[in-house]
Amino acid sequence: MSSYSSSARFDEARRVAIFGGTHGNEMSGVTLVNLWVKNGSEIQRKMVDTKPFITNPRAVEKCTRYVDTDLNRAFTPENLSALGEGDLPYEVQRAQEINRIFGPKGSPEAYDVIFDLHNTTSNMGCTLILESSKDYFNLQMMNYIKVTALRSYFCCVNIVLCDWFIAGLEVGPQPQGVLRSNIFEAMRVILKHALDFIELFNEGRTGVEFPTCTVEVFRVLERIDYPRDANGNIIAMVHPNLQDGDWEPLNPGDPMFLTFDGKTLHYQGSGTIYPTFINEAAYYEKQQAFVTTRRETLVASAIRKA
Amino acid sequence: MLQCYIYIAVCGGTHGNELSGVYLVRELLKAKDIVMEEEREEPASVLMVLANPRAMQQCRRYVDTDLNRCFTHATLNGPISDSAPYEMTRSRELNAMLGPKGSPGAVDLVCDLHNTTANMGLCLIAYSDCDWICLHIFKHLQLSLACWIICDACLLKNTFSVAMEIGPQPHGVVRSNIYTAMKDGVQHMLDWVRLFNSGTIFEAGFVDVFTIVKNIDYPRDSETHNITATIHPQLQDRDFLLLHPDDALFQTFSGETLRYKGNEPLYPFFVNECAYYEKGIALGFGKHSETDVNYILFCC
């Protein structure tokens, strides 16, 4: 139980952005944002300016992940300061534009919270991606979402900690280019709770609104690629025992891959890990069959409005 | 009914992101290379083809236009320019490779491998209801594997051809259970061809068939043409389960249920297939029947 003076202070979150279509074929976010651009009443909260925004309209129009390059990897310092405007790859131009409107990240002009909506072909359910274990505001928000979603909808939310992923919300499994009603509704519920948290946080006047708490997360360790031949073609598939087994323990010796001619390859790690992003369509070209994680308990400092 | 030696082609990658067929044909080609290296005698009854290499390289359904719609008589025989869509040029190359129907050396049957995001299991699609080679193959598969047979007389094709469609699998992904199911399906089909070519008589009988009646589209916004509803959760993943009048069909984004207003119960399939959004198809409907199959034997 922490005392009032040791809680972390944050300015109220007055400007919130909801991004859809960062990958143009991840349909839940595209559909929700288009809906809210037309009629934003569902996402309005007291004293919060919420802006829904399609980040990659050309990819959305073509229903493809990206046009020239992955927008989610385009926000590098080099890209953001590159000159050349119309000659730059489309997504680099978009990254500069988005940075202009919603950033620069870390500056006083930047939006306070950004929700980047994604789908995955992996059986990950609802997953929140956290970049830093010391980001107490986001950790408290994710804890709130996790607890509320479970209580109200029996919906399980997992939190992934990784400093080389981009923060956001992933809901799966859903094929690219497809809109499934259950996945669509789950994403909608997560955002509802997220905006509720922000409204509650902003309302806080005296005392600690959100006391210190412990949060179970999965910390990403490494990416595991498919076995490949000399030409770079994959020679095995995710094993049926591992397929759809996101968040379940994978022990040394467990089946991991199945070659096309029927041979099983086993996990050779030294200890139990928790795999996720298992068989994500977009990661074949990024040399990633799944990522390994370990379970960790983080402590989120109490937070209150400054 | 008498027939000479049957020559079959197995095509993967007609849609470059339907990966079971891509990887299966690659593996079968590798296995064939090994057989040829070892100089074993194998009857040349099977031709393996990767149909759309450029789309496969980009892991996309197609580069310019859907290859599966480029096999009409008009497309194959009409005039063609240098700037023609890639798939139009490719369909002519494939037609020359596989042989126009009835010409010497032509394949008797093309088996085209596909995946779908719909929960259809293993499904065979014929393009007419009187192609007896297909019907016997279907009968053989229905005896040993769980599979559905669809007859789609609307899709014009210039050759004897059957599609083997397996789902659910996202495009751009290979799932081991789906790959294995396709490998089994193709193996059973090739077994039938081998049995036939070695003189086996196949008895008359029946096959269960679903005949396509109609396709229906999503409700759409009149201005933007964007969809305004999803497949209802009570229908999602329920391919081949009878849908009755007044059953739930779509769920609007505001949560309203839209119901099936037809007069008769029908069987839904291709429910929520990714590639059909742009073709204006949310699902297809079919009627179930039994089709006669006459006996056939090989004679040469």
Side-chain angles (χ1 to χ4, degrees), chain B residues 15-29:
Chain B
H15 296 135
N17 55 5
E18 293 176 14
L19 295 190
S20 304
V22 168
Y23 285 109
L24 182 59
V25 169
R26 274 203 191 136
E27 285 305 302
L28 291 172
L29 284 167

Side-chain angles (χ1 to χ4, degrees), chain B residues 166-281:
Chain B
I166 311 197
Q169 179 170 273
H171 298 317
V173 160
V174 62
R175 287 180 67 99
S176 45
N177 61 325
I178 302 291
Y179 176 87
T180 304
M182 187 174 273
K183 193 171 174 180
D184 284 346
V186 167
Q187 197 52 59
H188 275 75
M189 188 174 292
L190 297 180
D191 287 346
W192 185 89
V193 170
R194 231 181 320 266
L195 286 168
F196 179 85
N197 285 343
S198 55
T200 305
I201 299 171
F202 289 93
E203 299 294 330
F206 299 94
V207 279
D208 284 316
V209 172
F210 293 87
T211 305
I212 292 187
V213 165
K214 61 181 174 183
N215 295 317
I216 61 170
D217 193 7
Y218 293 95
R220 290 180 187 268
D221 181 282
S222 51
E223 280 173 33
T224 61
H225 204 60
N226 290 331
I227 65 171
T228 56
T230 59
I231 295 288
H232 197 279
Q234 285 168 20
L235 173 58
Q236 179 68 57
D237 300 333
R238 292 175 67 82
D239 301 77
F240 296 108
L241 295 172
L242 198 57
L243 192 73
H244 297 92
D246 233 37
D247 280 352
L249 192 54
F250 298 114
Q251 184 173 72
T252 68
F253 299 144
S254 53
E256 193 196 333
T257 295
L258 305 177
R259 297 184 180 278
Y260 168 51
K261 291 297 173 206
N263 296 324
E264 53 177 339
L266 289 173
Y267 291 89
F269 36 73
F270 280 116
V271 177
N272 208 348
E273 159 55 42
C274 167
Y276 290 174
Y277 282 64
E278 72 172 15
K279 297 192 199 314
I281 298 171

Side-chain angles (χ1 to χ4, degrees), chain A:
Chain A
M1 180 97 171
S2 62
S3 69
Y4 181 79
S5 58
S6 71
S7 54
R9 294 170 164 218
F10 292 88
D11 288 330
E12 62 185 20
R14 279 207 311 106
R15 293 195 304 164
V16 173
I18 302 176
F19 289 171
T22 294
H23 297 133
N25 53 9
E26 293 176 11
M27 302 306 294
S28 308
V30 169
T31 309
L32 281 170
V33 165
N34 278 335
L35 208 64
W36 292 330
V37 162
K38 211 169 160 185
N39 181 350
S41 49
E42 188 180 333
I43 54 172
Q44 291 317 309
R45 297 291 188 277
K46 277 201 300 276
M47 295 189 347
V48 182
D49 173 20
T50 317
K51 188 179 172 76
F53 188 77
I54 295 284
T55 46
N56 198 338
R58 231 186 259 178
V60 168
E61 197 187 352
K62 293 174 140 189
C63 196
T64 187
R65 182 175 176 85
Y66 54 80
V67 173
D68 294 325
T69 185
D70 194 329
L71 178 57
N72 222 15
R73 308 288 185 272
F75 287 87
T76 62
E78 299 76 25
N79 281 344
L80 293 176
S81 55
L83 301 170
E85 292 195 18
D87 295 328
L88 296 170
Y90 174 71
E91 279 83 8
V92 173
Q93 295 177 44
R94 286 305 296 164
Q96 290 183 352
E97 177 73 1
I98 290 160
N99 198 44
R100 234 187 326 269
I101 301 171
F102 299 98
K105 195 168 169 177
S107 72
E109 299 86 46
Y111 268 59
D112 301 300
V113 185
I114 296 178
F115 298 109
D116 193 16
L117 308 183
H118 289 272
N119 290 120
T120 173
T121 56
S122 305
N123 187 27
M124 289 168 74
C126 299
T127 300
L128 302 169
I129 299 181
L130 180 69
E131 288 174 3
S132 160
S133 59
K134 303 286 181 243
D135 182 350
Y136 297 129
F137 181 86
N138 274 309
L139 200 46
Q140 285 276 2
M141 177 168 63
M142 291 182 183
N143 182 61
Y144 175 87
I145 293 169
K146 192 169 163 159
V147 166
T148 319
L150 191 61
R151 194 178 57 219
S152 318
Y153 297 98
F154 306 108
C155 169
C156 185
V157 176
N158 292 303
I159 299 167
V160 161
L161 174 62
C162 184
D163 61 10
W164 43 269
F165 284 167
I166 316 293
L169 164 61
E170 287 278 354
V171 185
Q174 181 170 270
Q176 295 168 348
V178 162
L179 188 67
R180 287 181 67 98
S181 50
N182 60 328
I183 302 294
F184 177 76
E185 289 302 328
M187 191 178 271
R188 208 172 188 170
V189 160
I190 299 296
L191 277 165
K192 173 191 168 346
H193 293 324
L195 293 171
D196 289 346
F197 170 88
I198 291 170
E199 187 177 37
L200 283 170
F201 176 81
N202 287 352
E203 268 176 7
R205 285 183 177 81
T206 57
V208 174
E209 277 297 340
F210 297 95
T212 191
C213 63
T214 57
V215 190
E216 296 292 326
V217 305
F218 292 89
R219 183 188 286 269
V220 170
L221 301 171
E222 58 175 352
R223 46 166 74 99
I224 307 285
D225 192 13
Y226 294 94
R228 291 176 190 266
D229 66 17
N231 297 324
N233 296 316
I234 70 169
I235 56 171
M237 310 165 277
V238 171
H239 195 278
N241 286 20
L242 177 58
Q243 179 69 55
D244 300 335
D246 298 71
W247 316 117
E248 299 298 316
L250 184 70
N251 305 301
D254 283 352
M256 186 170 59
F257 295 114
L258 180 70
T259 66
F260 292 118
D261 54 8
K263 207 170 98 198
T264 294
L265 306 176
H266 301 268
Y267 176 58
Q268 302 293 338
S270 52
T272 297
I273 53 92
Y274 295 84
T276 190
F277 275 115
I278 299 172
N279 209 350
E280 158 56 45
Y283 291 169
Y284 282 58
E285 70 173 17
K286 295 187 181 359
Q287 285 84 48
Q288 187 174 306
F290 63 96
V291 295
T292 60
T293 74
R294 66 160 185 260
R295 298 178 78 147
E296 229 173 84
T297 304
L298 298 184
V299 176
S301 172
I303 62 168
R304 66 180 180 95
K305 191 175 72 163

Side-chain angles (χ1 to χ4, degrees), chain B residues 114-139:
Chain B
H114 288 273
N115 289 119
T116 174
T117 56
N119 187 26
M120 288 169 68
L122 165 55
C123 192
L124 301 161
I125 306 179
Y127 299 102
S128 84
D129 57 3
C130 54
D131 178 349
W132 42 266
I133 296 180
C134 288
L135 291 175
H136 268 284
I137 288 174
F138 297 165
K139 184 163 160 286

